[in-house]
């Protein structure tokens, strides 16, 4: 297979024209607007709030900044415990640490979603008041049950939607269940501005603080989906400016992509379905169950090989790579690229997460860029099936060999 797992599609023509217009205006900073003009950043906030169905939206410099600002604007204090998923990406516990709080990880189940029993147990054990819920790799948990658990315990939920922009649970958009939703527009996510983030909320006080924190100086009235000016009166001078603005160039290239998002979700899901169908035929593979209430965005796919030892998992990585298929494995002792797990986040206290570790041990991940055709997806699934079968046969021989050696 010769396709590139990191090659995204070119930006649409409209994005290129919009970028040129911003470049030729020279007005790249979001507050550098002509009199009475609405900046591209403000227009993006307005459009994204409408699309998401949220009252307010703030454009920021990255998804990680959206998380960090959401935590701070929600009132996280130094030393506070913040619960978060054991299965997530490094910027998530990183945002908790940056806000001065202590991440405590909640176990992951076989569907790669947060373990709701462990969540309830850890709320009770730690007395935590906040959960930074990561919909890692787009797996949305039972949000009705999760919110019932959180609400009953008075726990505030902030959603990391880096992989669920466009996803829903029971018809409600991911990001609209908790007090705030945090999105990334980094190149590998669902809209591409290189770097960028969006924070949405219906809470006017949280959003007023977030806007001042993002570095609005006193120009918050020039935002696209902000609370009324009166909401800023009490907090404008007591909220620090943390400089995390999005610029007009990035906002301009995002606006036309928002119009294509629903269509792209369908395109991702068609690719996902093709690979999933192919993988389901491999005996040694456990595909990840997706509940009917979830409307996913299949921009990547995960699967497990429950019978495989660590050497067998490494052999699978190598066999797939030799045939051009780029897999990531979450079971390695050292992180490879984005596959880090709690054991490598050593600024956090060491924690026992046996259930998650057992899942990571045989968990594989693969990106599904829109530059792959459905035929490419068939090809990739076929290669993976063959590689899994080869490795399973090889591992079986080894095991039989060691049994014989033991008997002798
Ligand atoms: C990418 C990502 C983020 C952070 O987004 P950046 O824009 O890269 O800062 C947060 N959470 C998850 C799960 C991600 O994949």
């Amino acid at each position: 297979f010769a396709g590139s797992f990191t090659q995204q599609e070119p930006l649409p023509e409209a994005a290129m024209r919009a970028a040129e217009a911003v470049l030729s205006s020279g007005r790249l900073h979001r507050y550098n607007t002509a009199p009475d003009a609405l900046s591209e950043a403000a227009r993006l906030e307005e459009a994204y709030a409408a699309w998401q169905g949220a009252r307010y939206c703030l454009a920021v410099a990255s998804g990680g900044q959206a998380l960090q600002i959401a935590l701070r604007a929600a009132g996280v204090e130094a030393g506070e415990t913040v619960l978060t998923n054991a299965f997530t990406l490094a910027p998530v516990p990183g945002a908790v640490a940056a806000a001065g709080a202590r991440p405590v990880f909640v176990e992951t189940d076989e569907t790669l979603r947060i373990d709701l029993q462990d969540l309830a147990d850890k709320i009770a054990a730690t007395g935590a008041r906040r959960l930074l819920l990561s919909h890692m790799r787009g797996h949305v948990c039972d949000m009705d049950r999760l919110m019932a658990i959180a609400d009953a315990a008075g726990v505030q939920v902030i959603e990391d939607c880096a992989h669920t922009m466009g996803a829903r649970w029971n018809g409600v958009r991911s990001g609209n269940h908790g007090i705030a939703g945090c999105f990334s527009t980094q190149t590998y996510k669902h809209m591409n501005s290189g770097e960028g983030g969006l924070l949405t909320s219906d809470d006017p006080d949280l959003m007023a603080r977030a806007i001042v924190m993002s570095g609005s100086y006193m120009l918050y009235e020039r935002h696209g989906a902000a609370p009324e000016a009166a909401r800023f009166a009490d907090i404008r001078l007591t909220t620090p400016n943390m400089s995390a603005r999005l610029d007009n160039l990035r906002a301009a290239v995002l606006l036309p992509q928002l119009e294509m998002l629903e269509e792209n979700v369908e395109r991702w899901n068609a690719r996902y379905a093709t690979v999933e169908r192919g993988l389901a035929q491999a005996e040694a593979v456990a595909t990840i169950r997706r509940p009917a209430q979830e409307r996913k965005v299949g921009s990547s796919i995960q699967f497990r090989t429950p019978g495989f030892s660590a050497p067998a998992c490494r052999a699978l990585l190598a066999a797939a790579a030799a045939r051009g298929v780029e897999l990531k494995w979450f079971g390695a002792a050292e992180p490879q690229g984005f596959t880090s797990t709690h054991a490598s986040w050593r600024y956090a206290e060491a924690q026992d997460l046996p259930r998650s570790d057992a899942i990571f041990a045989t968990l594989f991940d693969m990106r599904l860029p829109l530059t792959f055709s459905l035929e490419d997806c068939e090809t990739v699934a076929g290669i993976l099936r063959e590689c899994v079968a080869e490795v399973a046969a090889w591992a079986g021989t080894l095991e039989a060999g060691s049994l014989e050696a033991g008997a002798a």
Side-chain angles (χ1 to χ4, degrees), residues 159-175:
E159 297 181 68
D160 164 27
C161 304
H163 301 156
T164 54
M165 180 185 274
R168 296 172 188 260
W169 177 265
N170 255 344
V172 177
R173 274 203 202 281
S174 184

PDB file of all heavy atoms in Angstrom, residues 159-175:
ATOM      1  N   GLU A 159     -15.974  18.842  28.261  1.00  0.00           N
ATOM      2  CA  GLU A 159     -15.770  17.808  27.240  1.00  0.00           C
ATOM      3  C   GLU A 159     -14.609  18.135  26.300  1.00  0.00           C
ATOM      4  O   GLU A 159     -14.561  19.228  25.732  1.00  0.00           O
ATOM      5  CB  GLU A 159     -17.045  17.642  26.402  1.00  0.00           C
ATOM      6  CG  GLU A 159     -18.250  17.157  27.183  1.00  0.00           C
ATOM      7  CD  GLU A 159     -19.459  17.000  26.265  1.00  0.00           C
ATOM      8  OE1 GLU A 159     -19.455  16.101  25.405  1.00  0.00           O
ATOM      9  OE2 GLU A 159     -20.398  17.797  26.396  1.00  0.00           O
ATOM     10  N   ASP A 160     -13.717  17.161  26.155  1.00  0.00           N
ATOM     11  CA  ASP A 160     -12.649  17.246  25.152  1.00  0.00           C
ATOM     12  C   ASP A 160     -13.176  16.594  23.877  1.00  0.00           C
ATOM     13  O   ASP A 160     -13.269  15.368  23.785  1.00  0.00           O
ATOM     14  CB  ASP A 160     -11.400  16.514  25.658  1.00  0.00           C
ATOM     15  CG  ASP A 160     -10.406  16.233  24.539  1.00  0.00           C
ATOM     16  OD1 ASP A 160     -10.385  16.982  23.545  1.00  0.00           O
ATOM     17  OD2 ASP A 160      -9.631  15.251  24.668  1.00  0.00           O
ATOM     18  N   CYS A 161     -13.521  17.423  22.904  1.00  0.00           N
ATOM     19  CA  CYS A 161     -14.160  16.939  21.680  1.00  0.00           C
ATOM     20  C   CYS A 161     -13.208  16.990  20.483  1.00  0.00           C
ATOM     21  O   CYS A 161     -13.660  17.146  19.339  1.00  0.00           O
ATOM     22  CB  CYS A 161     -15.405  17.766  21.388  1.00  0.00           C
ATOM     23  SG  CYS A 161     -16.582  17.793  22.744  1.00  0.00           S
ATOM     24  N   ALA A 162     -11.916  16.846  20.739  1.00  0.00           N
ATOM     25  CA  ALA A 162     -10.950  16.922  19.635  1.00  0.00           C
ATOM     26  C   ALA A 162     -11.260  15.897  18.546  1.00  0.00           C
ATOM     27  O   ALA A 162     -10.987  16.138  17.376  1.00  0.00           O
ATOM     28  CB  ALA A 162      -9.528  16.722  20.163  1.00  0.00           C
ATOM     29  N   HIS A 163     -11.840  14.747  18.932  1.00  0.00           N
ATOM     30  CA  HIS A 163     -12.159  13.700  17.942  1.00  0.00           C
ATOM     31  C   HIS A 163     -13.662  13.544  17.739  1.00  0.00           C
ATOM     32  O   HIS A 163     -14.105  12.585  17.115  1.00  0.00           O
ATOM     33  CB  HIS A 163     -11.575  12.350  18.371  1.00  0.00           C
ATOM     34  CG  HIS A 163     -10.092  12.370  18.545  1.00  0.00           C
ATOM     35  ND1 HIS A 163      -9.415  11.481  19.341  1.00  0.00           N
ATOM     36  CD2 HIS A 163      -9.142  13.183  18.020  1.00  0.00           C
ATOM     37  CE1 HIS A 163      -8.124  11.747  19.323  1.00  0.00           C
ATOM     38  NE2 HIS A 163      -7.926  12.782  18.532  1.00  0.00           N
ATOM     39  N   THR A 164     -14.466  14.426  18.320  1.00  0.00           N
ATOM     40  CA  THR A 164     -15.924  14.282  18.165  1.00  0.00           C
ATOM     41  C   THR A 164     -16.582  15.542  17.602  1.00  0.00           C
ATOM     42  O   THR A 164     -17.781  15.731  17.784  1.00  0.00           O
ATOM     43  CB  THR A 164     -16.610  13.896  19.495  1.00  0.00           C
ATOM     44  OG1 THR A 164     -16.244  14.844  20.506  1.00  0.00           O
ATOM     45  CG2 THR A 164     -16.243  12.491  19.922  1.00  0.00           C
ATOM     46  N   MET A 165     -15.833  16.382  16.922  1.00  0.00           N
ATOM     47  CA  MET A 165     -16.485  17.498  16.234  1.00  0.00           C
ATOM     48  C   MET A 165     -17.405  16.875  15.176  1.00  0.00           C
ATOM     49  O   MET A 165     -16.932  16.165  14.282  1.00  0.00           O
ATOM     50  CB  MET A 165     -15.436  18.395  15.568  1.00  0.00           C
ATOM     51  CG  MET A 165     -16.039  19.572  14.834  1.00  0.00           C
ATOM     52  SD  MET A 165     -14.772  20.502  13.947  1.00  0.00           S
ATOM     53  CE  MET A 165     -14.195  21.617  15.207  1.00  0.00           C
ATOM     54  N   GLY A 166     -18.711  17.101  15.310  1.00  0.00           N
ATOM     55  CA  GLY A 166     -19.676  16.513  14.369  1.00  0.00           C
ATOM     56  C   GLY A 166     -20.350  15.256  14.898  1.00  0.00           C
ATOM     57  O   GLY A 166     -21.298  14.764  14.288  1.00  0.00           O
ATOM     58  N   ALA A 167     -19.886  14.721  16.028  1.00  0.00           N
ATOM     59  CA  ALA A 167     -20.487  13.496  16.579  1.00  0.00           C
ATOM     60  C   ALA A 167     -21.666  13.837  17.484  1.00  0.00           C
ATOM     61  O   ALA A 167     -21.827  14.985  17.923  1.00  0.00           O
ATOM     62  CB  ALA A 167     -19.431  12.719  17.357  1.00  0.00           C
ATOM     63  N   ARG A 168     -22.497  12.821  17.765  1.00  0.00           N
ATOM     64  CA  ARG A 168     -23.657  13.023  18.637  1.00  0.00           C
ATOM     65  C   ARG A 168     -23.867  11.809  19.526  1.00  0.00           C
ATOM     66  O   ARG A 168     -23.459  10.699  19.181  1.00  0.00           O
ATOM     67  CB  ARG A 168     -24.941  13.195  17.804  1.00  0.00           C
ATOM     68  CG  ARG A 168     -24.978  14.421  16.929  1.00  0.00           C
ATOM     69  CD  ARG A 168     -26.216  14.357  16.023  1.00  0.00           C
ATOM     70  NE  ARG A 168     -26.200  15.421  15.021  1.00  0.00           N
ATOM     71  CZ  ARG A 168     -26.898  16.551  15.126  1.00  0.00           C
ATOM     72  NH1 ARG A 168     -27.675  16.766  16.173  1.00  0.00           N
ATOM     73  NH2 ARG A 168     -26.832  17.465  14.180  1.00  0.00           N
ATOM     74  N   TRP A 169     -24.515  12.035  20.663  1.00  0.00           N
ATOM     75  CA  TRP A 169     -25.036  10.943  21.489  1.00  0.00           C
ATOM     76  C   TRP A 169     -26.529  11.175  21.634  1.00  0.00           C
ATOM     77  O   TRP A 169     -26.945  12.241  22.095  1.00  0.00           O
ATOM     78  CB  TRP A 169     -24.366  10.906  22.873  1.00  0.00           C
ATOM     79  CG  TRP A 169     -24.971   9.817  23.715  1.00  0.00           C
ATOM     80  CD1 TRP A 169     -25.981   9.927  24.616  1.00  0.00           C
ATOM     81  CD2 TRP A 169     -24.630   8.415  23.666  1.00  0.00           C
ATOM     82  NE1 TRP A 169     -26.288   8.701  25.144  1.00  0.00           N
ATOM     83  CE2 TRP A 169     -25.477   7.757  24.580  1.00  0.00           C
ATOM     84  CE3 TRP A 169     -23.691   7.663  22.935  1.00  0.00           C
ATOM     85  CZ2 TRP A 169     -25.419   6.372  24.790  1.00  0.00           C
ATOM     86  CZ3 TRP A 169     -23.633   6.295  23.133  1.00  0.00           C
ATOM     87  CH2 TRP A 169     -24.485   5.660  24.052  1.00  0.00           C
ATOM     88  N   ASN A 170     -27.335  10.194  21.240  1.00  0.00           N
ATOM     89  CA  ASN A 170     -28.791  10.329  21.317  1.00  0.00           C
ATOM     90  C   ASN A 170     -29.270  11.626  20.676  1.00  0.00           C
ATOM     91  O   ASN A 170     -30.173  12.289  21.205  1.00  0.00           O
ATOM     92  CB  ASN A 170     -29.239  10.310  22.788  1.00  0.00           C
ATOM     93  CG  ASN A 170     -29.879   8.965  23.138  1.00  0.00           C
ATOM     94  OD1 ASN A 170     -30.254   8.194  22.259  1.00  0.00           O
ATOM     95  ND2 ASN A 170     -30.008   8.706  24.423  1.00  0.00           N
ATOM     96  N   GLY A 171     -28.649  12.011  19.587  1.00  0.00           N
ATOM     97  CA  GLY A 171     -29.074  13.202  18.858  1.00  0.00           C
ATOM     98  C   GLY A 171     -28.470  14.509  19.344  1.00  0.00           C
ATOM     99  O   GLY A 171     -28.564  15.526  18.669  1.00  0.00           O
ATOM    100  N   VAL A 172     -27.847  14.494  20.529  1.00  0.00           N
ATOM    101  CA  VAL A 172     -27.264  15.738  21.070  1.00  0.00           C
ATOM    102  C   VAL A 172     -25.790  15.801  20.668  1.00  0.00           C
ATOM    103  O   VAL A 172     -25.044  14.844  20.845  1.00  0.00           O
ATOM    104  CB  VAL A 172     -27.376  15.776  22.615  1.00  0.00           C
ATOM    105  CG1 VAL A 172     -26.715  17.032  23.180  1.00  0.00           C
ATOM    106  CG2 VAL A 172     -28.835  15.692  23.035  1.00  0.00           C
ATOM    107  N   ARG A 173     -25.388  16.932  20.135  1.00  0.00           N
ATOM    108  CA  ARG A 173     -24.001  17.061  19.686  1.00  0.00           C
ATOM    109  C   ARG A 173     -23.011  16.914  20.826  1.00  0.00           C
ATOM    110  O   ARG A 173     -23.216  17.461  21.909  1.00  0.00           O
ATOM    111  CB  ARG A 173     -23.778  18.432  19.047  1.00  0.00           C
ATOM    112  CG  ARG A 173     -24.130  18.471  17.586  1.00  0.00           C
ATOM    113  CD  ARG A 173     -23.390  19.605  16.891  1.00  0.00           C
ATOM    114  NE  ARG A 173     -24.081  19.972  15.667  1.00  0.00           N
ATOM    115  CZ  ARG A 173     -23.994  19.286  14.527  1.00  0.00           C
ATOM    116  NH1 ARG A 173     -23.267  18.193  14.471  1.00  0.00           N
ATOM    117  NH2 ARG A 173     -24.643  19.686  13.459  1.00  0.00           N
ATOM    118  N   SER A 174     -21.938  16.193  20.553  1.00  0.00           N
ATOM    119  CA  SER A 174     -20.844  16.077  21.507  1.00  0.00           C
ATOM    120  C   SER A 174     -20.313  17.477  21.798  1.00  0.00           C
ATOM    121  O   SER A 174     -20.073  18.258  20.869  1.00  0.00           O
ATOM    122  CB  SER A 174     -19.739  15.211  20.897  1.00  0.00           C
ATOM    123  OG  SER A 174     -18.709  15.011  21.821  1.00  0.00           O
ATOM    124  N   GLY A 175     -20.163  17.794  23.073  1.00  0.00           N
ATOM    125  CA  GLY A 175     -19.732  19.135  23.469  1.00  0.00           C
ATOM    126  C   GLY A 175     -20.874  19.914  24.110  1.00  0.00           C
ATOM    127  O   GLY A 175     -20.635  20.909  24.793  1.00  0.00           O
TER     128      GLY A 175
END
